[in-house]
């Protein structure tokens, strides 16, 4: 029958004037044509030259081309799609190496199915996520249904889009290691119910992928979700542990662990499940920028599940692959790297990059190297010229030793077992927390020294964290070694800045009306603070303060504040001074308040009452509707507090008089020891823990609306925290494949 199909505007029918670079390119075109028309394809035959051994002839056809060859008396006859269809395309090679369409048969003797073309085996690998009807349906579902059905959809991808070699693939673990992993999860969740983990099972109900993230990782993502690195190095480098990590960086330029996973393979289905699970754990909040390795499966999964996220390839991943991918360079490697670095780092615009790239490709005869072609096709994912509107917060560097992706390098090695990693996992978390606590302590008690009379240095002294300020200070001092020359004038003024320290020239563009400044060194894009070249241009332009748009909140002492930074830096500096002063006083209060039970209760009551009044003062409208509220409460501990006071007053010993007003907090956390305070009677006061169960735990039942049931959990006695957000809500996400400590 004649195939009366409407072929997409971008896919025309084969004709004799068409030319292709190779027979593979011809087949790729025929596949695209077949997909739009609605039939599957197959490579029917090909022929080589006897003299040159090169391909000179190839024929491609509809999968129903020809007739069934199997005998009718076969013991186990296999179904065959062949029904005598003649549709085909025959291509031949000319003397100049080009391929052309020798013959084309359009007509089919069967119905064409353009809407179901993705079912054909020949079209499955082109867009496996887009092929799945469940995934397509999920795109249009609302947030609630997506959250509830996420695991069902990803785990149960249709069989027709799964490759045979992926079926049944599972994690390869040593005996007992799965139990160790489960025990770790149970203990972590017992310590803090916000701990999240999920598992992915294959068709045989064997463990295929595992993901988990601790409560600190969930909290860190709240404040530092602008840039996240998805590190697959340990998996692709053939470590014994199939580990992948979600990593971030805090305001002290310290690594934060935003999630861990063990995966069975690098298929698109694994990455789809993992990304969606991570997204659910993070409360459906996507990062602004996601850095990954150059990987087609990751690329497709990110495009599907994180459509609003800017996906970029980490630069050191690209540089790391060059020696292996371009072995043909041999002795020319150093010369290539010099020109390659110049092409990507010193191309101020897209036109310069295009010119230098193709000159580089031609000079080293790399036009036929597939990896080089893929780099060019993906240039918007990794070339700095195309990334002027984002900041990487120091996560995309040219060396792994400089990159925060090396977070766990000193804890695990190529031959480390899962048992060893589990033992080290708590050490990793403890070390991270200790380093952050020390940086916070230094910020409260120390002020960096000024090294110049620069107004920029004075401006940022109390705004930036110590680590960022010291790096910014280097740029301020380095401005003295820069000389600028005006190249063009107008709304946007261009300057050439000579940096005598490294003897390099840089292009800086400054727009006075919009306060936009851009330097070709791209320090702001990669590190998140202005460079010396931009600073010297601001100075010469009569601007003596950093424009607010170039002061990222993530690098300031107010990074973990609930309130955004205003445009007036004086307000930020005043807020930082008040914050530091309160922290110092809180430490003194803690030391004194722990000397006795009575002083502890006095400090506790004062803190709780002060917190309530501050929240009411800061949010008068909201708290007018909810006078008892201090943000989102985890649980109401007023009754517990009153019970403690009552029990204490009934016990022998000194009585407590905390005033007539009830005290309320909203924190549920692990009791890590009493808070210390002085002033008051140091006599012993007996304490009866109200509502406590076995081992001093309270049993609290939390109802999850998505499970339509009661989810019992245990957590430690409720105590206030001096240095944490007391209104942070607990959030757990149960699912058919997520296990919790019950």
């Amino acid at each position: 029958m004649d195939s009366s199909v409407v072929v997409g505007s971008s896919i025309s029918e084969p004709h004799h004037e068409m030319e292709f670079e190779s027979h593979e390119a011809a087949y790729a075109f025929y596949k695209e044509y077949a997909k739009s028309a609605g039939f599957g394809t197959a490579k029917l035959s090909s022929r080589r030259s006897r003299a040159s051994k090169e391909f000179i002839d190839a024929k491609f056809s509809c999968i129903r081309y020809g007739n069934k060859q199997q005998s009718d008396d076969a013991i186990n006859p296999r179904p065959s799609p062949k029904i005598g269809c003649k549709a085909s395309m025959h291509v031949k090679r000319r003397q100049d190496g080009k391929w052309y369409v020798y013959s084309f048969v359009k007509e089919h003797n069967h119905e064409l199915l353009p809407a179901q073309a993705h079912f054909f085996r020949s079209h499955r690998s082109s867009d496996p996520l887009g092929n799945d009807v469940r995934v397509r349906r999920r795109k249009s579902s609302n947030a609630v249904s997506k959250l509830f059905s996420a695991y069902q959809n990803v785990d149960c991808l249709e069989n027709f889009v799964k490759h045979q070699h992926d079926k049944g693939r599972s994690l390869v673990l040593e005996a007992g290691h799965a139990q160790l992993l489960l025990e770790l999860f149970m203990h972590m969740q017992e310590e803090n119910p916000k701990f999240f983990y999920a598992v992915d099972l294959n068709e045989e109900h064997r463990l295929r992928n595992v993901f988990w993230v601790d409560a600190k990782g969930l909290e860190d993502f709240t404040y530092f979700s602008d840039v996240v690195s998805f590190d697959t190095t340990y998996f692709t480098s053939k470590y014994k542990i199939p580990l992948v990590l979600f990593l971030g960086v805090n305001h002290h330029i310290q690594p934060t662990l935003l999630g861990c996973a063990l995966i069975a393979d690098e298929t698109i289905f694994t990455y789809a499940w993992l990304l969606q699970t991570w997204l659910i754990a993070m409360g459906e909040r996507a990062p602004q920028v996601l850095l990954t390795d150059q990987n087609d499966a990751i690329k497709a999964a990110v495009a599907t599940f994180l459509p609003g996220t800017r996906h970029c390839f980490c630069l050191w991943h690209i540089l790391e692959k060059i020696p292996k991918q371009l072995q043909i360079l041999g002795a020319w490697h150093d010369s290539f790297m010099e020109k390659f670095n110049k092409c990507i780092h010193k191309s101020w615009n897209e036109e310069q990059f295009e010119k230098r790239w193709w000159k580089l490709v031609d000079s080293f005869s790399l036009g036929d190297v597939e990896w080089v072609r893929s780099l060019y096709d993906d240039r918007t994912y990794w070339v700095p010229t195309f990334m002027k509107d984002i900041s990487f917060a120091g996560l995309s560097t040219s060396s792994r030793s400089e990159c925060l992706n090396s977070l766990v390098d000193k804890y695990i090695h190529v031959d480390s077992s899962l048992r060893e990693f589990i033992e080290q996992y708590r050490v990793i978390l403890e070390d991270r927390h200790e380093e952050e606590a020390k940086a916070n302590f230094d910020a409260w008690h120390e002020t960096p020294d000024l090294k110049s009379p620069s107004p920029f240095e004075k401006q940022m002294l109390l705004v930036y964290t110590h680590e960022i300020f010291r790096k910014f200070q280097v740029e301020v001092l380095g401005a003295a070694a820069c000389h600028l020359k005006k190249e063009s004038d107008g709304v946007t003024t261009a300057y050439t800045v000579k940096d005598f320290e490294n003897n390099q020239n840089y292009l800086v563009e400054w727009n006075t009306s919009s306060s936009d400044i851009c330097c070709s060194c791209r320090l702001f894009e990669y590190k998140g603070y202005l460079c010396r070249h931009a600073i010297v241009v601001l100075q010469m332009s009569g601007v003596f303060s950093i424009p607010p748009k170039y002061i990222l909140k993530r690098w300031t002492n107010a990074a973990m504040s609930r309130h955004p930074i205003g445009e007036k830096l004086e307000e930020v500096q005043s807020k930082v001074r008040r914050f530091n002063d309160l922290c110092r006083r809180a430490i003194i209060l803690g030391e004194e308040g722990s000397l006795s039970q009575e002083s502890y209760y006095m400090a506790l009551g004062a803190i709780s009452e002060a917190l309530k009044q501050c929240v009411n003062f800061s949010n008068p409208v909201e708290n007018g509707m909810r006078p008892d509220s201090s943000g989102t409460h985890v649980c109401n501990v007023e009754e517990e507090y009153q019970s403690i006071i009552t029990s204490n007053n009934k016990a022998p010993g000194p009585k407590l008089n905390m005033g007539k007003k009830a005290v309320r907090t909203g924190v549920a956390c692990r009791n890590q020891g009493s808070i210390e305070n002085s002033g008051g009677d140091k006599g012993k006061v007996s304490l009866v823990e109200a509502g406590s169960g076995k081992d001093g735990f309270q049993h609290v039942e939390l109802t999850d609306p998505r499970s339509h049931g009661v989810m019992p959990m245990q957590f430690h006695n409720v105590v206030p925290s001096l240095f944490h957000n007391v209104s942070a809500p607990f959030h757990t996400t149960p699912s058919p494949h997520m296990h919790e400590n019950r």
Side-chain angles (χ1 to χ4, degrees), residues 207-225:
L207 190 60
R208 178 166 52 193
N209 303 302
V210 184
F211 168 80
W212 71 95
V213 58
D214 73 311
K216 184 64 167 62
L218 296 173
E219 179 187 7
D220 287 341
F221 185 79
T222 302
Y223 303 106
F224 308 111
S225 60

Side-chain angles (χ1 to χ4, degrees), residues 593-604:
S594 65
L595 296 180
S596 70
Q597 291 286 3
E598 183 178 7
S599 60
Y600 167 75
Y601 292 132
M602 293 177 66
L604 176 61

